[in-house]
Amino acid sequence: MDFLSFGGKLAGSRESQAMKDANLQSASARSAGGEAVCRPAFWSAGAHAAAQAEQQLARCGPNVLRGKSEPALIVEFLARFRNPLVLVLLAASGISALTGEEASFLIVVVASVTLDFFQEYRAGQAAERLSESVTVRAKVLRNGRETSIAATTVVPGDVIVVAAGDLVPADSVLIEAKDLFVNQSLLTGESFPAEKRAQTPTGASTDPSCASNALFMGTSIISGTGKALVCRTGRSSELGEIGEALGRRAPPTAFEHGTRQFGMLIMRLTVLLVLFVLLVNTLLHRPLLESFLFAIALAVGLTPELLPMIVSVTLSRGALRMAQHEVIVKHLPAIHNLGSMDVLCTDKTGTLTEARIRLERHVNVAGQDSVEVLHLAFLNSFFETGLRSPLDAAILEHQEIDVSAWRKIDEVPFDFECRRVSVLVDDGQHRRLVVKGAPEDILGLSTHCADDSGQLQCLDEQTLARAMAVHDLLAADGFRVLGIAWRDVATEHIHARIDDETELTLAGFAAFLDPPKAGAAAALAALQASGVSVKVVTGDNELVTRHVCAELGLAISGVLLGSEIENLDDPALLARVERVNAFCRVTPAQKNRVILALKAGGHTVGYLGDGVNDAPFAALGRRRHIR
């Protein structure tokens, strides 16, 4: 996908006029080291001078997610009086105060509204302090030199320099990349690192996970280096749009809606009764003032004065009891919604799973568990000197493997194009090249394999087909698969070269998965036993989702992909969401549509997620949606 037209949004970005007028079509090239380079036509080293950057900053504003100030406290406090029931009580107690009964007025205003206001204000302040506790810096090219600046001062047109461990400061398109892997689960929910290249990929999509030449604000660099042209900053970025969604005022919850309807009913009955009493007394020629005071007394008697305070106190006590069970309630009426929920939409990565990659299987070419495959994979990861990936970390957790007899001779580092890494090791008897990488590449370089008895045999077409079937079966079960192979070399061989990665002996495959959380299956079973329908809404692929749901005992009634949701109008989506309980490869906007469709079907919907990309749905539709 061409990131420069990603989601049709860059055309509306607040980039500089020079960028708008420039030809942003990417031209593929090769650097001196053979790495991919994708340079926009106008780009040159240090595209921005410091003066230009200052002008851009003044024009576009700081690179922050929240640009609007919060409403004044007095405005938020007065907004509490929009409830019809509070208005009736306020009017009645105000008249009572004029006649000398100030207690009613104090109960309504001080004890009820103030209590509810300060409960939510304190929770909001705690969240605000947490969000301001992190400051980020970025490396950019200014005046032809690499400069470290505050991430808030990055502007469109800057060229940022990223390396392992960095946070991406803004949405950018890559112009140079070397062995670049990015953790973008923040936006996509995908736990595995994403490979990034400078070349413009083919095809078109609105899914950030498909933008292999793009870096997104807030994601982190796992390994490699790169340079990227900043295209969107602040609220224009993908992360900024999530922040915008969080800043919007949420609709009322089901509880708030019901309370408001009850208040409107009381208001109508009170007004009608007061008018009826005045009319009857007028017809009976009773004194007007006496009749009016009697009608007011009747209105006060009909109105449940303590109801707002009782509701606030009861919900507050409920929030305190839930806090004892490690549940934080930020919006008090959400407690009622939690009890009335009949559909729970849940994210997968980090919610149902541990968001931690684990080596699940290590099998030979026949699909049988093999300690030898684990041993070879451990050797490779243990002696690899480059920045280790999460897959290496998962392999190295198997500390029962003893490699103390081996010493490292040399290494062929991970290559972005070849997608494999090799280490040359020696144990005094064998000098062995151990290779780990993409299965299709390892299969293509292998000429031998071990049979069931451990004897080497040629990797003929029949054996190769069997090995590929094992790989395909693992992939179909949702595993991320690595190929493991080896080759013995002469003892005088002291330098490992990429040319040595030929005529390998295929050992087998290492299969990885993000495992389910220990208590997730029991929690899902309890929800279903309580009549709550569970639907998985994830940015991950269908195969992984099916495998995780099978391990959790959640039967899949149907799968709907994000690409399919994109082509459905709202009525068609409403019909599909009732029958489907797994939504895969969905973007935040598509999650939004799924939840709104369920709400339109009359459901009280809860959403459970742990990532930033899940945040908007915690405040999306509080009318029928728990927070």
Side-chain angles (χ1 to χ4, degrees):
M1 153 192 146
D2 182 359
F3 174 71
L4 296 174
S5 60
F6 176 75
K9 298 167 184 172
L10 276 184
S13 299
R14 292 173 289 181
E15 66 269 8
S16 67
Q17 190 62 41
M19 286 183 63
K20 291 179 180 178
D21 297 337
N23 175 17
L24 293 181
Q25 295 302 319
S26 300
S28 295
R30 289 279 173 182
S31 67
E35 288 295 333
V37 179
C38 180
R39 301 182 187 277
F42 71 92
W43 182 83
S44 62
H48 258 165
Q52 291 175 316
E54 290 292 335
Q55 295 172 0
Q56 273 285 75
L57 187 62
R59 183 183 300 113
C60 300
N63 181 30
V64 293
L65 298 181
R66 298 182 63 182
K68 293 186 289 187
S69 59
E70 293 293 317
L73 289 180
I74 186 63
V75 174
E76 291 189 7
F77 179 74
L78 293 176
R80 308 277 167 173
F81 291 92
R82 291 183 299 183
N83 189 313
L85 186 58
V86 173
L87 291 175
V88 171
L89 290 174
L90 190 62
S93 59
I95 294 173
S96 297
L98 294 176
T99 61
E101 295 292 334
E102 295 85 358
S104 298
F105 184 80
L106 291 176
I107 288 174
V108 173
V109 178
V110 178
S112 177
V113 177
T114 306
L115 177 66
D116 188 36
F117 169 72
F118 276 107
Q119 173 73 13
E120 290 198 24
Y121 174 74
R122 287 193 304 167
Q125 286 296 101
E128 186 69 21
R129 287 193 298 269
L130 184 62
S131 66
E132 294 175 352
S133 62
V134 178
T135 58
V136 180
R137 298 190 68 80
K139 296 175 184 176
V140 301
L141 297 181
R142 294 273 176 90
N143 298 324
R145 294 182 302 173
E146 186 177 310
T147 306
S148 177
I149 63 173
T152 55
T153 61
V154 171
V155 295
D158 268 332
V159 174
I160 59 173
V161 180
V162 293
D166 289 344
L167 288 177
V168 179
D171 288 1
S172 318
V173 60
L174 281 165
I175 50 182
E176 290 183 14
K178 182 178 181 181
D179 304 341
L180 194 60
F181 284 82
V182 180
N183 179 356
Q184 54 186 27
S185 59
L186 179 90
L187 295 175
T188 65
E190 172 63 68
S191 56
F192 289 93
E195 298 181 7
K196 295 294 182 177
R197 303 171 181 265
Q199 297 99 328
T200 301
T202 58
S205 172
T206 58
D207 188 350
S209 63
C210 297
S212 60
N213 66 332
L215 301 178
F216 294 97
M217 182 179 186
T219 59
S220 58
I221 308 299
I222 292 179
S223 65
T225 59
K227 293 180 181 178
L229 175 70
V230 174
C231 297
R232 300 185 301 193
T233 60
R235 287 184 291 161
S236 298
S237 66
E238 287 294 308
L239 191 61
E241 292 185 359
I242 294 177
E244 284 289 293
L246 286 172
R248 300 188 191 112
R249 180 174 293 276
T253 64
F255 179 76
E256 290 171 322
H257 182 69
T259 304
R260 184 179 181 84
Q261 291 295 99
F262 176 71
M264 292 296 294
L265 175 64
I266 294 294
M267 178 182 284
R268 293 190 190 100
L269 289 176
T270 301
V271 171
L272 288 175
L273 193 57
V274 167
L275 292 176
F276 177 75
V277 169
L278 285 175
L279 177 62
V280 170
N281 284 340
T282 301
L283 292 176
L284 295 177
H285 304 290
R286 299 271 177 85
L288 186 60
L289 180 58
E290 240 180 69
S291 301
F292 179 72
L293 291 177
F294 175 73
I296 292 298
L298 192 61
V300 172
L302 286 173
T303 305
E305 293 184 358
L306 296 180
L307 181 60
M309 185 182 71
I310 291 172
V311 168
S312 296
V313 170
T314 303
L315 292 178
S316 296
R317 287 180 60 84
L320 291 174
R321 291 183 63 185
M322 294 182 73
Q324 294 173 359
H325 296 278
E326 300 181 353
V327 177
I328 297 176
V329 179
K330 185 177 178 182
H331 190 66
L332 291 180
I335 297 175
H336 174 272
N337 274 31
L338 180 62
S340 60
M341 175 180 65
D342 65 327
V343 174
L344 174 65
C345 293
T346 175
D347 183 40
K348 180 185 69 65
T349 305
T351 304
L352 298 179
T353 67
E354 296 180 358
R356 179 181 58 83
I357 300 169
R358 187 171 70 191
L359 176 60
E360 292 284 325
R361 300 197 61 192
H362 34 88
V363 299
N364 57 23
V365 293
Q368 302 167 336
D369 289 343
S370 170
V371 177
E372 178 65 15
V373 171
L374 175 59
H375 185 267
L376 291 169
F378 194 94
L379 269 175
N380 183 286
S381 296
F382 185 83
F383 288 110
E384 180 185 354
T385 57
L387 186 67
R388 293 190 175 102
S389 72
L391 303 182
D392 290 306
I395 293 172
L396 294 175
E397 285 186 0
H398 290 265
Q399 297 180 359
E400 71 275 11
I401 303 299
D402 183 13
V403 295
S404 58
W406 294 85
R407 62 187 180 91
K408 180 179 176 180
I409 305 300
D410 200 9
E411 175 181 5
V412 180
F414 178 84
D415 182 84
F416 196 74
E417 296 297 326
C418 299
R419 299 187 300 170
R420 59 183 180 269
V421 58
S422 303
V423 294
L424 184 61
V425 292
D426 192 298
D427 67 346
Q429 298 178 353
H430 305 91
R431 183 154 295 192
R432 180 166 293 177
L433 184 74
V434 183
V435 187
K436 175 185 82 228
E440 54 271 24
D441 294 329
I442 299 297
L443 286 168
L445 295 170
S446 298
T447 58
H448 295 78
C449 69
D451 60 18
D452 295 340
S453 63
Q455 298 297 316
L456 294 185
Q457 66 178 28
C458 288
L459 190 63
D460 55 24
E461 290 186 5
Q462 183 179 358
T463 309
L464 180 61
R466 185 172 63 169
M468 292 182 66
V470 171
H471 165 264
D472 294 342
L473 185 61
L474 290 171
D477 283 339
F479 289 100
R480 178 68 62 91
V481 183
L482 285 180
I484 310 296
W486 59 275
R487 174 191 175 191
D488 282 341
V489 298
T491 55
E492 63 270 12
H493 199 97
I494 60 173
H495 294 297
R497 300 183 301 272
I498 197 169
D499 295 339
D500 296 329
E501 297 171 344
T502 57
E503 299 182 356
L504 301 176
T505 298
L506 178 64
F509 304 101
F512 303 82
L513 196 69
D514 180 13
K517 288 183 176 178
L524 293 181
L527 284 167
Q528 292 176 310
S530 301
V532 178
S533 174
V534 178
K535 297 180 183 290
V536 179
V537 188
T538 176
D540 215 337
N541 65 64
E542 175 189 355
L543 298 176
V544 174
T545 303
R546 283 186 179 276
H547 182 88
V548 170
C549 289
E551 289 200 353
L552 292 173
L554 180 64
I556 298 295
S557 61
V559 175
L560 192 60
L561 301 178
S563 56
E564 298 176 274
I565 295 175
E566 196 70 24
N567 297 322
L568 294 176
D569 58 16
D570 290 342
L573 181 60
L574 176 59
R576 293 290 301 274
V577 295
E578 295 288 348
R579 304 191 299 269
V580 171
N581 68 342
F583 303 85
C584 306
R585 285 293 186 193
V586 292
T587 64
Q590 290 163 350
K591 288 184 180 182
N592 183 11
R593 290 190 61 200
V594 168
I595 293 172
L596 291 177
L598 288 167
K599 288 169 54 186
H603 296 287
T604 299
V605 184
Y607 188 85
L608 185 65
D610 75 320
V612 173
N613 61 321
D614 301 310
F617 316 114
L620 165 68
R622 295 196 310 220
R623 177 173 178 175
R624 293 185 177 272
H625 184 94
I626 68 168
R627 189 167 180 176

